[in-house]
Amino acid sequence: MATWSPLTNKIRESKDNSGNRWYKITRITPHCWVGQVSIENGLDYFATTSRQVSSNYIIGADGRVGGCVREEYRAWTSSSRDNDNRAITIECASDTKSPYAFKTAVYNKLILLCADICKRYGKKKLLWISDKSKALSYNPKSDEMLLTVHRWFASTDCPGSWLMSRMGDLANQVTALLQGDTPSDTYVVSTSGNALRLRAEPTTSSKQVGYINNGTIISTDKVVKGQSIGGVDTWAYYHGGYASGKYLSPTPKVTEPTPTPEPEPHPEPTPPTPVPTGKKYRCTCTKGVNIRSGAGVGYSKVGAVNYGQVVTIYTQKNGWGNLTISGNRWVCMKYFKAV
Ligand SMILES: [Zn+2]
């Protein structure tokens, strides 16, 4: 049985492969196609070309995924036998000229496909080590997947400077999805009555791919920046399209049960204790971060901090920070930056 990602929309296998891999899958290598190719044309090309090239997957310009070389097999993509025996390779539709930019739908699907691959091979972390020699000599731990790039193995621009400048973001976004500590936000569609258009890209000039009725509550785990409408430039990704944040009102966060205050011990005159001042941090995770009742992902969610929100951290332990002086409202500090 051939293994394909459940995100695969179409399969056409290429004979250009070396059969079973020599090594376990520990790498993902994204490439730029150098053209806004569809999966149909991309799969046809790999199936018929005499150039002896292939990849495990192709992400077409509309964000659909084509399967070309099953995951068990080594594809011929990165000019490196050593790399491609370890890597799942992904060709991505891109512009034809440097910096070989990807469309939003392609980059978003790359994030989801990488997360899906990592998940299926038991990886909890996708790593980007920008220094080539450090990366290639790094031995990933059993729950780690490593990103590599074609330009390390051949004289090529691939995957292009557009993606090169986003490799760290790709690794972070995939790792955030894998660690599941990213609450989805809910919004109410609030228009003057009309249905809200869903667009293929976060801009009103992009084609309509669906709509949501006014008053509908939607849930998204992805909010992106796009064209500004009435001063609002955030767009929520929902059911394969983008809805303008101008017409979305955040629903109230689930209110936490108000803790019943413990009866105060007999008030005794106590010397005034200095109030801890805490330190301010900004939330850097675009999906927001859960607040938990203890310092660890095993504790229950008791709220969320939104992207960009500045909070005060009073104490820290084991990489977690407490938003209260004496209570328990903890956030994972890796998503916060001191301000
Ligand atoms: Zn390449």
Side-chain angles (χ1 to χ4, degrees), residues 29-34 77-79 90-91 149-151 156-160:
T29 315
H31 294 252
C32 61
W33 183 277
V34 189
T77 328
S78 317
S79 319
I90 306 169
E91 283 283 358
V149 285
H150 195 175
R151 57 171 68 185
T156 169
D157 249 5
C158 182

Side-chain angles (χ1 to χ4, degrees), residues 1-274:
M1 266 290 281
T3 304
W4 299 102
S5 165
L7 298 172
T8 311
N9 299 99
K10 191 166 219 154
I11 295 167
R12 182 170 180 192
E13 288 198 76
S14 161
K15 291 189 184 65
D16 290 353
N17 68 75
S18 310
N20 287 322
R21 295 169 180 280
W22 293 354
Y23 309 115
K24 282 187 184 154
I25 292 167
T26 51
R27 295 181 184 179
I28 297 176
T29 315
H31 294 252
C32 61
W33 183 277
V34 189
Q36 296 294 1
V37 72
S38 68
I39 53 173
E40 285 76 14
N41 290 342
L43 291 171
D44 282 354
Y45 177 77
F46 276 159
T48 55
T49 180
S50 58
R51 281 187 53 219
Q52 303 201 312
V53 285
S54 62
S55 63
N56 294 110
Y57 292 104
I58 301 172
I59 301 178
D62 61 358
R64 287 181 305 142
V65 177
C68 179
V69 175
R70 60 183 68 182
E71 293 184 5
E72 291 86 343
Y73 291 174
R74 179 216 150 176
W76 298 345
T77 328
S78 317
S79 319
S80 163
R81 185 169 67 181
D82 184 71
N83 186 74
D84 287 352
N85 266 301
R86 303 169 200 272
I88 289 195
T89 63
I90 306 169
E91 283 283 358
C92 303
S94 73
D95 285 349
T96 53
K97 287 201 186 94
S98 184
Y100 306 105
F102 294 9
K103 289 186 188 293
T104 311
V106 175
Y107 184 58
N108 286 342
K109 189 55 74 69
L110 178 61
I111 293 168
L112 295 177
L113 181 57
C114 289
D116 164 63
I117 293 166
C118 288
K119 210 174 266 176
R120 286 186 292 106
Y121 291 95
K123 312 296 182 189
K124 298 220 164 61
K125 216 172 182 182
L126 182 62
L127 300 178
W128 168 239
I129 302 171
S130 58
D131 184 288
K132 172 188 165 181
S133 57
K134 278 189 193 144
L136 295 182
S137 59
Y138 183 78
N139 192 10
K141 300 195 187 88
S142 63
D143 64 349
E144 290 176 341
M145 187 80 95
L146 186 69
L147 282 166
T148 57
V149 285
H150 195 175
R151 57 171 68 185
W152 289 349
F153 311 111
S155 157
T156 169
D157 249 5
C158 182
S161 50
W162 187 92
L163 185 61
M164 282 304 284
S165 68
R166 286 168 177 78
M167 293 296 282
D169 178 68
L170 173 63
N172 290 343
Q173 294 225 41
V174 170
T175 300
L177 286 174
L178 293 171
Q179 307 207 340
D181 206 27
T182 51
S184 68
D185 284 313
T186 52
Y187 299 91
V188 187
V189 176
S190 320
T191 66
S192 55
N194 297 328
L196 177 58
R197 289 184 172 90
L198 283 172
R199 306 274 186 183
E201 306 269 331
T203 159
T204 55
S205 59
S206 166
K207 79 164 188 257
Q208 184 176 345
V209 295
Y211 65 89
I212 329 169
N213 287 323
N214 187 33
T216 310
I217 293 178
I218 68 163
S219 173
T220 179
D221 56 10
K222 191 165 176 63
V223 174
V224 302
K225 295 272 177 202
Q227 179 193 22
S228 171
I229 300 175
V232 179
D233 60 357
T234 54
W235 291 69
Y237 189 69
Y238 175 74
H239 286 204
Y242 290 91
S244 167
K246 167 90 163 56
Y247 305 105
L248 298 173
S249 314
T251 54
K253 296 274 178 225
V254 181
T255 32
E256 308 156 39
T258 326
T260 330
E262 293 279 316
E264 285 282 339
H266 297 294
E268 284 169 39
T270 44
T273 41

Side-chain angles (χ1 to χ4, degrees), residues 255-336:
T255 32
E256 308 156 39
T258 326
T260 330
E262 293 279 316
E264 285 282 339
H266 297 294
E268 284 169 39
T270 44
T273 41
V275 179
T277 49
K279 240 188 118 186
K280 294 220 181 293
Y281 288 83
R282 189 182 304 281
C283 176
T284 58
C285 179
T286 51
K287 298 180 183 69
V289 172
N290 284 321
I291 301 172
R292 295 187 180 271
S293 62
V297 289
Y299 290 90
S300 56
K301 298 180 192 178
V302 294
V305 178
N306 293 325
Y307 174 62
Q309 198 178 330
V310 173
V311 297
T312 304
I313 300 290
Y314 291 96
T315 49
Q316 291 196 40
K317 73 174 178 196
N318 305 331
W320 287 69
N322 194 345
L323 300 172
T324 66
I325 296 168
S326 56
N328 276 304
R329 290 170 61 76
W330 295 83
V331 292
C332 180
M333 290 309 293
K334 74 179 165 189
Y335 299 116
F336 289 85

